[in-house]
Amino acid sequence: MCPTLPAPVPESETDLLARIRVHGAVPRHIAIIMDGNGRWARERHMPRPFGHRSGMKAVRAVVEGCLDAGVEWLSLFAFSQENWQRPETEVSALMSLLEEYIAREASELREQGVRVRVHGDLGRLSAPAAAAVERVMRDTEGGDKLGLNLFISYGGRAELVRAARLLAIDVQAGRLTVDGIDEAAFRERLFTAGCPDPDLLIRTSGEQRLSNFLLWQVAYAELYISSVLWPDFGRLALFEAILDFQRRDRRFGRVTA
Ligand code: FPP
């Protein structure tokens, strides 16, 4: 009879972080489609905003995980253009959470060296939400450890149309020629101008879709689908995703030597 092997001891966050550091190749930019708040709340027989509130705590854990792992940029899809079509109670709960997140976290983010940028159709935000967004961007401007991009009222196709319009305006004004429209010129007119493309795109809750997020920027991102619902996605799950990324063979259309 075979002796029973002891069950493997699950690795701790510290162990995973040590392995990430030994490997060294940390993704510079991680983008996340935070999904599953509603299902997380439903499993607990709670209303959907309860899931969003718990999702806000996961945002803190992941920001701290990125700081520890040495990730330079983190992009979070917090509210899509389509999300405006959700019931009014859920939309207003999400907007209040955004204000609360900024009120609670802005000073700590600044102390931790996190520079927050908020991107999307911000003209649709309520006056208090828009003021909070302005404030957090201004207060954290000097952060040099982690760039945190929050995408709110955002759609990838709308971002591409906006970039095309900006190019057309520059051509019309004589600042740019049609021949001068190349990938670099296009990239400069995206919300993420000056920020490297995501190396790793994570989506939680097991869904396998891009959902109109960063359509241009994720062209060569490694995709990582986690079955974990967003409110449960903390440092451990983030580190597992980074370790998975470190095992990938990124070829960018070329062949491995
Ligand atoms: C998707 O889950 C999540 C959202 C639409 C909102 C994300 C918001 C947060 C994580 C909290 C606020 C964050 C900040 C930065 C203030 P879903 O509602 O579509 O979940 P479901 O697919 O299970 O229904």
Side-chain angles (χ1 to χ4, degrees), residues 101-111 135-136 139-140:
Y101 174 76
I102 292 172
R104 271 202 201 176
E105 307 273 330
S107 62
E108 195 169 346
L109 290 170
R110 190 180 56 234
E111 279 161 28
R135 193 174 62 247
V136 73
D139 290 356
T140 62

Side-chain angles (χ1 to χ4, degrees), residues 33-42 48 51-59 76-80 83 86 90 94 97-102 150 152 203 205 207 209 229-230:
I33 302 175
M34 308 183 286
D35 197 8
N37 294 350
R39 274 162 283 171
W40 189 92
R42 195 173 60 224
R48 296 176 59 84
H52 297 314
R53 175 166 291 282
S54 302
M56 190 169 77
K57 293 180 195 147
V59 170
L76 299 178
F77 200 5
F79 191 88
S80 73
N83 289 155
R86 292 191 176 194
E90 184 170 346
L94 276 164
L97 268 186
L98 173 66
E99 289 172 50
E100 187 181 324
Y101 174 76
I102 292 172
L150 297 180
I152 292 173
R203 180 163 190 154
S205 88
E207 304 294 346
R209 289 187 291 277
L229 302 179
W230 176 252

Side-chain angles (χ1 to χ4, degrees), residues 109-132:
L109 290 170
R110 190 180 56 234
E111 279 161 28
Q112 290 174 317
V114 179
R115 182 179 60 265
V116 181
R117 306 292 308 163
V118 184
H119 304 296
D121 183 3
L122 304 182
R124 293 186 74 175
L125 299 185
S126 66

